[in-house]
Amino acid sequence: LRRLVQGGLVQVRVQGRHRYHELAGPQVAVVLEALAQLAPPSPIRSLRDHHSATDLAEARTCYDHLAGRRGVELRNRLLASDALRTTDDRDHILTDHGRQLVAELGIEPDHLQATRRVFARSCIDWTSRRPHLAGALPAAITSRLLTLGWLSRTGDRTLRVAPDYDRRI
């Protein structure tokens, strides 16, 4: 850990007598995700392991945004319905239709665009090897879907999808 801190990849947060180590920023996370794609998958040794891996691949958070099959599907649906448009090989913007859809969810897109955070960027999903969305917009959508109960947390990162999720999205 000392070497990672010295190299600027990990930072230490002191809280009382405890020391917490965390990634130094989103760029470090991107590199780790890319390295994870090269690593062989963990062996599945039990039915519980199988169910956990299946649930994780279905819907989970990638930091603070929706990932897994449902995250990939959300990006694809937004693009297919002309709510989202790519601006280059990785960044996206909302169309007028997309701004209306996001506003109907109770999310203010102008507020999200005013932050220093990336608005909407492709993020390769490590389970499906296809892009989902990262950034301020997908984080706000994920937070809103959790608030509405369309998604719920079942573990650290795993999410459960409500039975009527597909009709609502």
Side-chain angles (χ1 to χ4, degrees):
L1 283 173
R2 180 174 41 82
R3 286 187 179 172
L4 292 172
V5 171
Q6 289 172 345
L9 299 175
V10 171
Q11 61 191 19
V12 180
R13 184 171 38 92
V14 178
Q15 188 173 342
R17 61 183 185 170
H18 300 284
R19 297 171 58 84
Y20 297 96
H21 292 77
E22 57 193 11
L23 297 180
Q27 297 88 355
V28 177
V30 168
V31 170
L32 288 176
E33 289 285 338
L35 287 173
Q37 291 181 17
L38 298 174
S42 299
I44 295 179
R45 296 189 170 103
S46 69
L47 186 57
R48 179 175 290 157
D49 286 350
H50 171 73
H51 287 302
S52 294
T54 302
D55 292 346
L56 199 61
E58 178 67 14
R60 69 175 179 286
T61 54
C62 176
Y63 306 100
D64 61 354
H65 55 271
L66 181 61
R69 186 179 74 80
R70 297 302 181 138
V72 170
E73 182 180 79
L74 176 64
R75 177 184 176 270
N76 291 344
R77 285 183 179 186
L78 289 171
L79 286 168
S81 68
D82 194 37
L84 196 66
R85 188 174 53 237
T86 58
T87 59
D88 55 30
D89 61 336
R90 63 183 188 165
D91 290 315
H92 301 72
I93 59 169
L94 281 174
T95 63
D96 289 338
H97 175 63
R99 296 176 67 74
Q100 178 185 351
L101 288 175
V102 169
E104 287 173 7
L105 270 177
I107 299 168
E108 179 51 52
D110 291 334
H111 172 72
L112 299 175
Q113 289 178 316
T115 66
R116 293 182 56 195
R117 186 172 182 186
V118 168
F119 182 69
R121 177 168 286 167
S122 291
C123 180
I124 297 298
D125 192 81
W126 54 265
T127 51
S128 66
R129 308 278 195 251
R130 294 175 30 217
H132 62 261
L133 290 173
L137 175 65
I141 291 172
T142 303
S143 176
R144 186 67 179 141
L145 296 180
L146 286 163
T147 300
L148 292 170
W150 299 358
L151 297 172
S152 59
R153 295 191 184 276
T154 62
D156 265 352
R157 297 175 64 186
T158 308
L159 300 172
R160 176 170 289 125
V161 178
D164 58 348
Y165 174 89
D166 288 317
R167 284 196 324 249
R168 295 174 184 232
I169 295 293

